Amino acid sequence: MTHRPGQLWVVATPIGHLDDLSLRAVEVLRRVAVIAAEDTRHSAPLLARIGSSAATVALHEHNEREQCERLVERMQAGADVALISDAGTPLISDPGFRLVRAARAAGLVVSPVPGACAAIAALSVAGLPSDRFVFEGFLPPKSSARRERLQALVAEPRTLIFYESSHRIEESIADLAAVFGPAREGVIARELTKRFETILAAPLGRLAERVATDADQRRGEFVVLVAGAQDEQADAVLAEGRRVFALLSSELPPARAAKLAAAITGAPRKSLYAPGGDAG
Ligand code: SAM
């Protein structure tokens, strides 16, 4: 007997306010046979609230590889599976990438049930240009690696979006102010859709000061947004890149000097040295 294969539903859940679960999400989470959840205990109250009696299985970064195979087999055998994470949209700084890829590779239908996403919710209220933006997820935990990552973004003209936790918000904002300069415009969106929702918009230097001196501003969950570099800022970064490149290339091969100068200043490597082309 032939049977119809099941499919994968990628379902967004709330990032705070429980009413931010769409009617379609409720319908899908009630109807599927299996729900793959990042943490089944965390999701249990939400699923109980909507009366879902689907079987739940854990799918997190440590077991995603093995679970993928089992879940794909179940879908091939006819079961519909929903993927959810602890909060917001799965795969956005959350597990699920391997499962989506495996399901698609197996020829199964994968459909989104869209909803809350902290990055997009923050962007929608930040008042920063939103026509083009870059989502950078979590910054590295160590300050040296974090500053290096930020340095590479200094000349980025698009609005930047980062996720941050209460453990590191103070250090990260201080590093943002140090690397991008205290005058660059920033926004901290804290506890979105929850009781203590706060949106602070100010130059990064003032935000760093506020977070350092007000313990409340270090509690909860954060999205940090930074205005993209203006033309003058990008020009200044390029000028500095060229200066450092000129210094280094007197001691090093030009390709190596360009790589280092780009890492140090944030200037695009190709604008400093293009082998066989116009080095600018
Ligand atoms: N998948 C989620 C999404 O769609 O936004 C993100 C999951 S990630 C593991 C968790 C991070 O998202 C938090 O550390 C914080 O940076 C951000 N976040 C989640 N909920 C938030 C909220 N209510 N307010 C502000 N930031 C939030």
Side-chain angles (χ1 to χ4, degrees), residues 13-14 37-47 84-88:
T13 57
E38 184 180 2
D39 178 344
T40 52
R41 274 183 308 181
H42 176 96
S43 296
L46 178 85
L47 298 176
I84 60 174
S85 60
D86 285 354

Side-chain angles (χ1 to χ4, degrees), residues 151 154-155 230-248 257-258 261-262 264-269 271-273 279-280:
Q151 195 64 60
V154 164
Q230 307 290 310
D231 285 350
E232 316 84 75
Q233 289 164 328
D235 288 350
V237 168
L238 188 56
E240 181 62 2
R242 286 184 174 146
R243 191 184 71 80
V244 174
F245 173 68
L247 283 173
L248 293 175
I264 293 166
T265 63
R269 186 170 47 83
S271 66
L272 303 178
Y273 173 70

